[in-house]
Amino acid sequence: MLDQIKGLHHVTSLARDANENNDFFIHKLGLRRVKKTVNFDAPDVYHLYYADEFGTPGSVMTYFPFPDAARGRPGTGEVGVTAFSVPEGTLAFWEQRLVSEGVTGLKRFELFGEQRLTFEGPDGDGFALVETRDDGRAPWTNGGVGSDEAIRGFHSVSMRLQDGGATAELLKFMNYEEIDKSGSVRRFAVKGDSNGADVIDVESLPVLGHARQGAGSVHHVAFAVENRAKQLEVRKALMETGYQVTPVIDRDYFWAIYFRTPGGVLFEVATNEPGFDRDEDTKHLGEALKLPSQHEHLRPYLESHLQPIED
């Protein structure tokens, strides 16, 4: 069992417009943009990171906004809903706020004894706010939402799979245990210490067609380990179990490995080190365009061709 894994690290999705995406997260949801950089593999596309004040693992939502990308088609083999934790008793506040901001797809219901509000992102992305008791993580409060209501970080992700059985076994190997079940949804949570973003829901939908990735789709979900040594232990164990795992890749703000799950979802295991303040002072995270060293020579071109982001 991989007891090195301590919960979610980040979730990365696709979008069609950088400004629309930026506005949604920093103005409507009140998160902080902690990094403005570019896609390692397509440097003419932004990579935007939104999180709490520091970009704490377990709070980081990231996006690749490909200009005018076609919208994804929901289905199986993907993360369908990314859920954020908010304090108990705040969904009425959030519902009013999101309605006033023109957010669509709002629906309130209860799941596993928790009140949640689902809603859509700009590209039809599936999101939820979940009322969580005693979430002690510190929120970002300079985004227009007060400390009594602000998002604390991730609550969970929900995966839609045609058959969740093999992925359930993988999660158990990754230090998760099944803690509840409701209809076709099985809930898993990290055993022992976690970073607070410790829940995965697996929904089996055998008659639903496969998803087609596009704007609004989750590209991958990342799990947190403390450091590179722990990451190498995880990589070795996964490969010995039969998974095809990438070499360790330096992503500037963390080191990453990737593998495809039995249900089709792309998993990443990311380190908590070095963090988002490695190249910017904490007070100014996400302000300047930061480029991977291999793309620094492209700066004049990128600064003149990337869509200006209006804050």
Side-chain angles (χ1 to χ4, degrees):
M1 185 185 302
L2 303 178
D3 60 2
Q4 302 90 340
I5 291 175
K6 301 302 181 182
L8 297 174
H9 186 284
H10 65 270
V11 177
T12 295
S13 295
L14 307 176
R16 64 178 298 277
D17 184 87
N19 263 309
E20 188 176 44
N21 183 258
N22 182 76
D23 175 72
F24 182 80
F25 283 95
I26 69 172
H27 295 134
K28 293 178 172 57
L29 296 188
L31 297 178
R32 184 184 193 189
R33 192 180 70 230
V34 296
K35 197 62 59 180
K36 181 170 65 173
T37 182
V38 296
N39 186 316
F40 272 71
D41 302 315
D44 56 341
V45 174
Y46 279 118
H47 193 178
L48 304 176
Y49 293 75
Y50 312 99
D52 64 7
E53 181 176 2
F54 305 103
T56 306
S59 75
V60 186
M61 189 80 210
T62 98
Y63 269 86
F64 300 133
F66 285 87
D68 300 318
R71 181 170 288 197
R73 180 183 66 204
T76 55
E78 68 173 355
V79 171
V81 177
T82 303
F84 298 96
S85 171
V86 295
E88 281 192 314
T90 62
L91 286 190
F93 163 85
W94 277 105
E95 186 169 21
Q96 181 178 11
R97 176 182 177 85
L98 295 178
V99 167
S100 69
E101 292 283 355
V103 175
T104 59
L106 278 75
K107 180 182 177 182
R108 288 181 65 168
F109 62 97
E110 182 178 305
L111 182 64
F112 296 115
E114 298 170 324
Q115 298 297 317
R116 61 170 47 205
L117 174 66
T118 58
F119 58 97
E120 294 178 348
D123 295 297
D125 327 40
F127 292 114
L129 298 173
V130 181
E131 290 189 346
T132 308
R133 181 177 299 174
D134 301 326
D135 188 337
R137 292 177 290 175
W140 169 246
T141 57
N142 289 357
V145 181
S147 60
D148 290 340
E149 298 88 14
I151 289 171
R152 267 47 184 175
F154 291 127
H155 171 275
S156 59
V157 295
S158 178
M159 295 187 288
R160 295 188 293 244
L161 309 176
Q162 288 199 335
D163 181 354
T167 298
E169 293 306 310
L170 169 63
L171 289 172
K172 292 174 183 177
F173 183 67
M174 292 173 62
N175 199 34
Y176 284 78
E177 61 181 336
E178 186 169 355
I179 60 171
D180 212 341
K181 184 177 181 180
S182 177
S184 62
V185 182
R186 301 166 68 182
R187 171 156 289 187
F188 298 82
V190 174
K191 292 182 179 179
D193 295 335
S194 75
N195 61 14
D198 54 0
V199 174
I200 305 288
D201 289 336
V202 176
E203 183 175 13
S204 293
L205 297 165
V207 299
L208 186 65
H210 291 286
R212 183 184 64 211
Q213 197 164 88
S217 302
V218 171
H219 183 269
H220 65 266
V221 56
F223 296 82
V225 293
E226 182 180 356
N227 53 43
R228 296 183 72 185
K230 300 292 186 183
Q231 184 184 62
L232 288 175
E233 293 172 3
V234 170
R235 183 174 186 271
K236 181 175 183 290
L238 286 168
M239 293 183 70
E240 289 176 345
T241 308
Y243 286 95
Q244 301 297 311
V245 187
T246 68
V248 176
I249 302 172
D250 183 358
R251 296 304 194 193
D252 283 355
Y253 312 108
F254 47 86
W255 283 272
I257 58 175
Y258 303 87
F259 65 103
R260 186 73 61 177
T261 67
V265 179
L266 182 62
F267 276 9
E268 174 183 345
V269 178
T271 61
N272 292 347
E273 59 180 7
F276 293 96
D277 60 354
R278 68 173 295 274
D279 58 1
E280 286 181 296
D281 183 87
T282 300
K283 293 181 179 179
H284 299 287
L285 290 178
E287 295 179 5
L289 177 64
K290 296 296 179 179
L291 298 178
S293 57
Q294 64 267 40
H295 296 319
E296 187 60 49
H297 69 285
L298 298 174
R299 180 174 291 277
Y301 171 81
L302 293 175
E303 287 186 338
S304 62
H305 285 79
L306 284 170
Q307 177 187 8
I309 295 180
E310 301 172 4
D311 294 334

